[in-house]
Amino acid sequence: MAGQSDPHLSIFTPAEVEFLAEDELVEIVPNIRMDALNMICGDFGPFFPQISTKVPIWLAVALKKRGKCSVRPPEWMSVERLTHVLEAERESPREFQPLPFHYIELSKLLFEKAHDDIPDIYMVRSLIEDIRDVRFHKVEMGLEKISGRTHAVKLKNLSAMEVNIVRPFMVRALQAFYKHGSPEMIPQPELTVSRTQVLDRGPRRDLRPR
Amino acid sequence: MGIYYDIDDILLEEEPISVLFQTGASGVGLLDPGSETNSVERSAKVTLPFWLANELFLRRAVSINVPACFSSETRKEIQADAACVDLKFRSPYFYELGCKILPLVTDKSIGPFLQYAFTSRYTEILSKSHNITGANPKFSSKLTKEESHLFEAARSSMISFKKWRVGGSRLEKASILGRKRKPTTPTESSTL
C-alpha cells in the first residue's frame, strides 16, 4: 500500500503513519458498563467498571475524550525501562534496541490524549526524545557508509516513523550509487586490475543480461 | 532511448555538445553559425544539442568531444574539495549527461570520475539535508538536478516529521478556500 498524500513519491506522511499506529492495542480501565463493540477489525469489550480490557488506540482515545476510561500506559513506557533502553542504545553503536514498531507515534498520541494517566510524563517524554535522537544519529552514521558496493541495508528493530523519515533519501541514494557503480559506467577495473578483483565483482555482473 | 515521460530526461538531451564533423554535409548550414555557404565542412567544430549529436554519431557523421564539464580542470577541483564545487553551474544534468555520453566518447575515465564525484559529495548532502530545516540557498544552489532531488527528499521528510511532532491543527484548509473571489464588475453583470 502506498501513501495517499503523494502518489509520486509513494511515501507516507507522518500523519498517515500515525493513523496506522492507531490500530495498536492498549489496555484501558473503563469506568462505565458497556456491551461489547463488534467492529470489522474485531470485537472489543464488554466493558465493566474497574476491569481492564484491551482496545485499539483510536477507541481508547475516543473513550478517554469522553471521560469514560483511563489508559494504562504500556509496559515499556516507564522511566526505568526507557532509561535502560537509552543506555543500551548508547552502548551499542551498531544495533537498535527492540522497541514497539510504532513507539514514536504511540507516545505522542498518549502524551497528547492521556497525559494524566502516565506517571512521570516529563521524564518519559524526554527519555523518548533522547532515544529517538540517538537512534536517528545511528541511522545517519549507517547512511554515511552507503557506497557503490551497497546492495541492501539492514535495519533491524527500526521503527515505522524512523523508516519513513529516511526512506525517500535512502531509496534515491541507493539508486544513484547503483547507477554510478554499474559495470557499464565503470568498465576499467574489471579489465585492467588483477584477477582477484574480477572474481570479487563477479556475482553482480551475472545478474545483468549481456 | 530517452524516458518518454521524464521531463528531466527531455531537458537533458537539450544540453549543447561540441562535435567534430567527420564528413562534409550540405544543406545544413544553419547548424554552423560560422559557415558562409549552406553547408558544413569536414572537420568543422560545431555545437549541437545532445539528441542531434547522438543521432549523427550513430550515423558516423560526427565525433563527439568531451564536454567542458568533464574537463581536467573540473576534475582537479572535484579532487580538491568536491562539496564546494558548483556543479550546477557546469551542467545541471552533470551525472545524467555523463552516463549518456560515456558510450559515445573514447575517454572512459568519466565513469569512475562521476562515481568519485558523487560519493564524495554524497556525505555532504547527507549531513546537511537532515539537519537544515529552513531553505539553504547557498548550499542547494550548487547541487545538480540529481543531487538536489536527493537533498529535497531528505529535507522534506524531515520537515514534515518535525511539523507532525509539534502538532497543531489536524485539519488543513484547502488551498482554494484561501483565495479571494474575483470581484465581478458591474459592467460585466449588466451585459449578461
Side-chain angles (χ1 to χ4, degrees), chain B residues 174-185:
Chain B
S175 59
I176 198 165
L177 291 177
R179 272 188 228 155
K180 273 189 184 170
R181 264 197 205 170
K182 269 187 195 164
T184 45
T185 51

Side-chain angles (χ1 to χ4, degrees), chain A residues 2-8 11-13 16:
Chain A
Q4 299 296 304
S5 53
D6 191 351
H8 194 68
I11 57 158
F12 298 97
T13 63
E16 283 162 352

Side-chain angles (χ1 to χ4, degrees), chain A residues 12-15 17 103-105 108 129 132-133 136 159-162 164-166, chain B residues 130 154-167:
Chain A
F12 298 97
T13 63
V17 180
Y103 80 96
I104 297 175
E105 304 91 302
K108 180 174 184 266
E129 284 290 288
R132 197 182 56 78
D133 280 344
F136 194 75
S159 81
M161 192 57 91
E162 288 158 343
N164 199 53
I165 291 173
V166 292
Chain B
H130 283 109
R155 204 171 68 91
S156 62
S157 67
M158 202 62 194
I159 286 176
S160 60
F161 169 70
K162 286 200 169 138
K163 210 167 134 195
W164 170 81
R165 204 172 43 136
V166 174

Side-chain angles (χ1 to χ4, degrees), chain A residues 14 18 108 129 132 136 140 143-144 146 161 165 168-169 172-173 176-177 179-181 184-186 188, chain B residues 95 99 102 108 111-112 114-115 118-119 122-123 126 130 146 149-150 153-154 157-158 160-161 164-165 170:
Chain A
E18 182 189 311
K108 180 174 184 266
E129 284 290 288
R132 197 182 56 78
F136 194 75
E140 279 195 331
L143 282 175
E144 240 170 65
I146 290 185
M161 192 57 91
I165 291 173
F169 180 82
R172 274 180 189 277
F177 274 117
K179 191 176 83 177
H180 291 306
E184 289 110 66
M185 290 299 296
I186 318 273
Q188 269 148 344
Chain B
Y95 299 106
C99 293
L102 185 66
K108 295 295 175 202
L114 283 181
Q115 195 193 30
F118 184 78
T119 314
Y122 165 77
T123 36
L126 171 67
H130 283 109
E146 184 175 344
H149 279 318
L150 192 62
S157 67
M158 202 62 194
S160 60
F161 169 70
W164 170 81
R165 204 172 43 136
R170 304 187 66 170

Side-chain angles (χ1 to χ4, degrees), chain B:
Chain B
M1 57 170 287
I3 305 160
Y4 192 78
Y5 289 109
D6 186 0
I7 185 68
D8 280 335
D9 200 77
I10 296 165
L11 290 174
L12 142 76
E13 300 208 334
E14 290 285 309
E15 286 286 298
I17 305 285
S18 141
V19 301
L20 210 63
F21 267 81
Q22 299 290 321
T23 53
S26 61
V28 289
L30 82 163
L31 293 179
D32 184 6
S35 79
E36 286 161 9
T37 55
N38 190 21
S39 62
V40 175
E41 305 279 312
R42 194 192 141 103
S43 77
K45 203 173 172 187
V46 183
T47 304
L48 299 176
F50 175 78
W51 55 268
L52 186 55
N54 186 32
E55 288 300 317
L56 289 177
F57 176 81
L58 293 179
R59 286 162 180 72
R60 297 189 183 180
V62 299
S63 70
I64 292 180
N65 297 326
V66 177
C69 54
F70 307 112
S71 65
S72 60
E73 207 176 296
T74 314
R75 290 180 197 216
K76 273 180 196 154
E77 279 180 42
I78 292 270
Q79 269 164 13
D81 189 355
C84 287
V85 182
D86 188 350
L87 276 186
K88 193 182 182 182
F89 171 72
R90 324 250 158 188
S91 165
Y93 300 102
F94 184 77
Y95 299 106
E96 293 90 334
L97 188 65
C99 293
K100 290 220 172 186
I101 214 155
L102 185 66
L104 310 183
V105 294
T106 46
D107 183 5
K108 295 295 175 202
S109 64
I110 289 178
F113 165 61
L114 283 181
Q115 195 193 30
Y116 175 78
F118 184 78
T119 314
S120 40
R121 284 164 75 87
Y122 165 77
T123 36
E124 193 71 9
I125 298 170
L126 171 67
S127 64
K128 289 243 164 70
S129 58
H130 283 109
N131 296 321
I132 294 169
T133 42
N136 185 9
K138 203 182 164 198
F139 177 67
S140 51
S141 68
K142 286 178 186 166
L143 300 178
T144 70
K145 266 276 157 24
E146 184 175 344
E147 288 166 343
S148 73
H149 279 318
L150 192 62
F151 180 71
E152 278 306 314
R155 204 171 68 91
S156 62
S157 67
M158 202 62 194
I159 286 176
S160 60
F161 169 70
K162 286 200 169 138
K163 210 167 134 195
W164 170 81
R165 204 172 43 136
V166 174
S169 161
R170 304 187 66 170
L171 300 173
E172 278 182 29
K173 196 163 79 171
S175 59
I176 198 165
L177 291 177
R179 272 188 228 155
K180 273 189 184 170
R181 264 197 205 170
K182 269 187 195 164
T184 45
T185 51
T187 51
E188 214 174 42
S189 55
S190 63
T191 53
L192 282 172

